[in-house]
Amino acid sequence: MKRLIILFYFAILLFLSIVFYLKPQYNWDMLPYMDLSMESNSTDIKAIHSDVYRIAKAELPHDKFTALIDSSNYYRHSTATDTEVFQHELSFYKTRPLYVWMISAFHRAGIPLTKATILPSVLAFFLIGLLIYFWPASKTHPPGPPLLKKRAGGDYWNLAYLIFSLLIMVSPFIGDTARLSTPDLITAFFLLAGVWVLVEFRSVFGASLPFFLAMLTRYDCILFVILILAWHIITERKRFLSWLPLAGGMILITILQFGEILFILRHVFFIMSASKRLTYSIGGNIFYDYGKSLAQGLPSFFHSQVALISIILLATIIHQRRVLHTGWKDPFILLPIFGYAYIPLRFIFHPGFEDRFLVGVYVVILVFFFKALILTLNQKVPEI
């Protein structure tokens, strides 16, 4: 029965992955990523700009391509008609080199360029689905209960895994992001994999690799990695030196992309609208501009899943403390709290609560919530 459930879940994941690949959202971000993936073959920026829009026109449905160059949208029309404006905007995308390299690799392997921009998100969707399903049933350190297959009613619990995993995978913050030509979901997978290795195997060196790949895919997740580093230093003071290779990688990435990072911070600190960036110049009362940017970003909270995730995190903490009598240093309590801190910290640097930027945090908290429930049930269900 367990194998049938796993095969059924695997088939659903595969089906959804194919659907997302065939029916992506064709978001505008695919264009600058296409440009960056082509720059290794040419230095003629005007020719590359022309080729990007020519390829997009040839490969996308007519209505989708028309929306990307919409003359009624000042930003999209300007980037389509003015090479210099388009090049200016590329600075916002150059801090995601691993995602660009993946696009280039898929394209060289024969994947159409527009499809190559969506493939990393689709692959990440599939991999996150597998990790979410198998992680809650794994052993925990310090040693937790036996695997659920050794407990009474194991088939029902495996079915519960399937339902729980599917609820996460079809949720808007994962399902919608899987259809985007952005590095958000592949970054979320690397972050989730890093937390998994760190918690389940207590391997700092093993966790360093996915965390490093996450920062290469999307630099701003360095804030999340720093928070996890802070958690580990607090709980495992004797193993501080084990993080030095990752810390060195963080410094190296920051140095190599320092110019682009400063450029991004200057703009997102003071203004949220992409179209206004084209005419905005930093000056005057920068504190007023930053305060205005924060005020403009706050309403996005009500259009995100942050409130729901906050409630789930609080429920997890209360359950762990009162039912399982877990100490504050236990990873099931402290680590999700440190991970959650990424949400307000990121808002300070980029005022906004867009779910696609926070998928990694959401999934980590949801998995820890489910594992807390499993630990409780394992104490009440007899072994067989």
Side-chain angles (χ1 to χ4, degrees):
M1 181 65 174
K2 179 182 178 181
R3 291 182 179 178
L4 289 177
I5 292 175
I6 293 176
L7 288 175
F8 180 65
Y9 179 72
F10 180 88
I12 294 177
L13 273 186
L14 186 60
F15 172 76
L16 291 174
S17 300
I18 293 173
V19 170
F20 293 154
Y21 177 77
L22 296 177
K23 297 291 184 180
Q25 291 191 11
Y26 300 111
N27 54 304
W28 184 87
D29 288 359
M30 71 165 56
L31 298 174
Y33 289 124
M34 290 166 61
D35 184 292
L36 291 173
S37 70
M38 297 171 65
E39 284 189 357
S40 59
N41 300 323
S42 175
T43 57
D44 188 340
I45 60 174
K46 290 187 177 180
I48 295 176
H49 178 262
S50 178
D51 286 343
V52 165
Y53 281 89
R54 176 182 57 80
I55 292 172
K57 183 177 182 179
E59 295 182 358
L60 300 183
H62 176 72
D63 60 327
K64 300 297 182 181
F65 176 74
T66 302
L68 297 181
I69 59 171
D70 186 3
S71 59
S72 64
N73 184 309
Y74 175 73
Y75 179 79
R76 294 190 173 190
H77 182 68
S78 297
T79 51
T81 56
D82 192 325
T83 303
E84 292 185 4
V85 170
F86 190 84
Q87 284 295 313
H88 174 273
E89 292 302 287
L90 287 183
S91 295
F92 290 93
Y93 299 88
K94 290 180 179 179
T95 56
R96 295 100 189 223
L98 182 57
Y99 176 68
V100 174
W101 296 337
M102 292 175 72
I103 294 173
S104 300
F106 288 138
H107 183 50
R108 289 185 184 130
I111 305 295
L113 188 55
T114 54
K115 290 294 188 182
T117 63
I118 189 65
L119 194 52
S121 295
V122 173
L123 290 176
F125 173 84
F126 187 82
L127 294 173
I128 289 175
L130 293 179
L131 188 51
I132 285 177
Y133 181 83
F134 290 106
W135 185 0
S138 61
K139 293 182 178 179
T140 56
H141 299 275
L147 294 178
L148 295 183
K149 64 181 180 180
K150 298 180 181 179
R151 293 271 174 167
D155 289 339
Y156 294 104
W157 288 25
N158 288 315
L159 184 60
Y161 293 164
L162 183 146
I163 295 173
F164 172 79
S165 301
L166 284 181
L167 286 175
I168 294 180
M169 298 310 294
V170 300
S171 63
F173 59 82
I174 287 190
D176 290 348
T177 308
R179 300 173 59 212
L180 293 175
S181 297
T182 65
D184 303 311
L185 205 58
I186 191 67
T187 302
F189 167 71
F190 288 138
L191 293 178
L192 184 64
V195 173
W196 172 62
V197 172
L198 188 60
V199 172
E200 299 299 331
F201 300 97
R202 294 288 183 176
S203 173
V204 176
F205 182 77
S208 297
L209 178 58
F211 283 150
F212 182 72
L213 294 176
M215 291 184 292
L216 277 178
T217 310
R218 189 177 183 95
Y219 177 78
D220 56 2
C221 72
I222 193 173
L223 297 174
F224 181 89
V225 177
I226 290 174
L227 289 168
I228 300 302
L229 173 60
W231 164 80
H232 192 265
I233 291 174
I234 291 174
T235 58
E236 301 283 351
R237 292 184 178 89
K238 295 180 180 179
R239 302 179 66 187
F240 172 76
L241 294 178
S242 60
W243 280 98
L244 288 181
L246 179 60
M250 294 162 63
I251 295 172
L252 178 61
I253 294 175
T254 302
I255 293 174
L256 293 177
Q257 304 193 57
F258 189 70
E260 287 79 10
I261 293 168
L262 281 183
F263 178 85
I264 293 174
L265 288 178
R266 275 177 36 188
H267 285 76
V268 300
F269 255 48
F270 305 116
I271 198 133
M272 289 295 297
S273 171
S275 60
K276 291 182 180 179
R277 284 203 303 261
L278 302 184
T279 57
Y280 181 78
S281 59
I282 298 174
N285 192 337
I286 61 174
F287 297 103
Y288 171 79
D289 290 344
Y290 178 58
K292 185 178 179 181
S293 179
L294 289 174
Q296 291 174 343
L298 282 174
S300 63
F301 176 88
F302 301 101
H303 302 285
S304 71
Q305 303 295 323
V306 174
L308 175 62
I309 295 299
S310 302
I311 294 172
I312 292 175
L313 174 62
L314 181 61
T316 304
I317 294 172
I318 294 174
H319 180 80
Q320 290 281 352
R321 292 290 294 167
R322 295 189 176 182
V323 178
L324 298 176
H325 306 292
T326 306
W328 282 107
K329 288 188 177 182
D330 189 279
F332 285 100
I333 288 186
L334 203 55
L335 193 148
I337 294 176
F338 272 75
Y340 179 86
Y342 172 72
I343 297 176
L345 185 60
R346 189 184 188 282
F347 179 81
I348 294 173
F349 289 94
H350 187 181
F353 294 99
E354 293 183 61
D355 288 328
R356 67 185 181 93
F357 299 139
L358 307 172
V359 172
V361 179
Y362 289 177
V363 175
V364 167
I365 291 174
L366 288 170
V367 169
F368 274 64
F369 170 72
F370 193 49
K371 282 186 75 73
L373 295 180
I374 290 173
L375 288 171
T376 304
L377 293 173
N378 252 333
Q379 292 178 355
K380 298 180 179 180
V381 178
E383 293 189 34
I384 57 174

